[in-house]
Amino acid sequence: KLSFPVIILDGEKTVYTNHQADTMLDIDSLSEVIKAGSELTFGSQSYRINRFLATISDKKYQVLELQNTTNLRSLEEKVYCYEAIFDKLDDGLLMSDKNGRIILYNPSQEKLEGLVKENCLGKYLWEVYQYEAPEMSEHRQVFKTQNPIIKEYKSHVKNGQSEKYLSYSTYPVIQNNQTLSVFSVSKNESKLLE
C-alpha cells in the first residue's frame, strides 16, 4: 500500500490516481500538480514531485509521486539552528558517527586542539588523532559500552605548541538501546592553572 499520492499520466491524460491523491486533489489542483516543476505547496504542506517513466504492456506512462517534505524542511531548519548554536558555544564539541567518522567539530574545538574543521570532518577519529588502532579511541569505547566518560582531565600537546589542559566529558547518543553516535564537550582549563 502506497502512503503518498500517486498520479499516472498517458501523455496529458490522467489514467490513474491512488486513494491518497484522490482525497488530496481536486481537478484544479490535479492540473496544477501536472504543470508544476519539482516542488509544490498546498496550504501549509510542501511536496516534492518525483517524476519517472514506467512501461506497462509496452506502453510508456509518466508517474508522479508527491512526497510530503513539510516535516523534512522543519528538520532541516532545526539542524541548521543547532549547527548555528554549536558554532557559537565557547565549549569545544566533537561528534563521531557509528563508524567512528567525525561528523561535528565546532570552532571552539578547533581553537582547543589547533586543528582545522575541514581537515577533520568525514575522517575517522584514529586518522585525525593518529591512534595506533580504532579501539584506542575513547569515542569507540563509549560507543561500544554505552558508558559515558564524565569530567576527564588530560594534557594535550599539538604540533609542538604549548601544553593545554582540557577537561571533557564524552557521551553516547542512544535511541532504542542502539548507540547512534558519540560526542565530547571540552573546555580549556589551562588558565585555571595560572
Side-chain angles (χ1 to χ4, degrees):
K1 181 180 175 182
L2 299 174
S3 61
F4 45 85
V6 173
I7 303 163
I8 299 178
L9 304 172
D10 180 5
E12 296 286 319
K13 182 181 174 195
T14 303
V15 293
Y16 172 80
T17 56
N18 68 351
H19 176 70
Q20 288 78 6
D22 290 340
T23 57
M24 183 180 124
L25 305 169
D26 57 25
I27 295 297
D28 292 333
S29 55
L30 181 60
S31 64
E32 190 178 336
V33 170
I34 294 168
K35 293 175 187 171
S38 60
E39 293 189 14
L40 189 64
T41 301
F42 284 120
S44 63
Q45 301 295 304
S46 298
Y47 295 88
R48 177 181 300 133
I49 302 173
N50 300 315
R51 299 172 185 265
F52 58 92
L53 293 176
T55 304
I56 304 170
S57 300
D58 296 327
K59 187 165 175 95
K60 291 189 188 236
Y61 296 92
Q62 184 179 181
V63 179
L64 285 68
E65 298 175 341
L66 278 67
Q67 180 183 10
N68 191 326
T69 59
T70 306
N71 292 336
L72 180 61
R73 285 201 176 141
S74 176
L75 288 174
E76 288 171 348
E77 288 173 5
K78 282 183 182 179
V79 168
Y80 179 83
C81 291
Y82 292 147
E83 287 177 349
I85 292 167
F86 297 154
D87 284 349
K88 303 292 185 268
L89 293 176
D90 290 333
D91 293 342
L93 291 177
L94 165 70
M95 180 179 276
S96 62
D97 68 9
K98 64 181 180 179
N99 299 313
R101 287 187 186 270
I102 297 172
I103 58 173
L104 183 126
Y105 194 91
N106 76 344
S108 293
Q109 191 72 18
E110 285 182 298
K111 290 176 190 167
L112 288 171
E113 296 187 323
L115 298 173
V116 178
K117 177 180 182 174
E118 288 74 25
N119 295 338
C120 298
L121 288 176
K123 293 192 177 156
Y124 291 107
L125 292 157
W126 45 94
E127 291 174 341
V128 172
Y129 295 104
Q130 300 171 353
Y131 298 127
E132 291 179 22
E135 303 81 42
M136 294 181 72
S137 162
E138 288 179 344
H139 271 230
R140 299 313 296 155
Q141 293 168 14
V142 169
F143 185 89
K144 289 177 184 173
T145 65
Q146 295 186 339
N147 295 322
I149 298 171
I150 307 294
K151 295 186 181 175
E152 187 70 24
Y153 184 76
K154 280 192 179 179
S155 167
H156 287 267
V157 178
K158 270 290 183 206
N159 303 327
Q161 298 174 353
S162 61
E163 212 166 18
K164 291 182 183 178
Y165 293 89
L166 303 179
S167 67
Y168 65 93
S169 295
T170 302
Y171 304 94
V173 176
I174 302 169
Q175 182 183 42
N176 299 325
N177 207 28
Q178 294 285 321
T179 308
L180 303 177
S181 63
V182 174
F183 71 98
S184 294
V185 181
S186 305
K187 296 176 189 278
N188 185 346
E189 301 291 354
S190 296
K191 292 180 182 176
L192 298 176
L193 297 174
E194 296 173 354

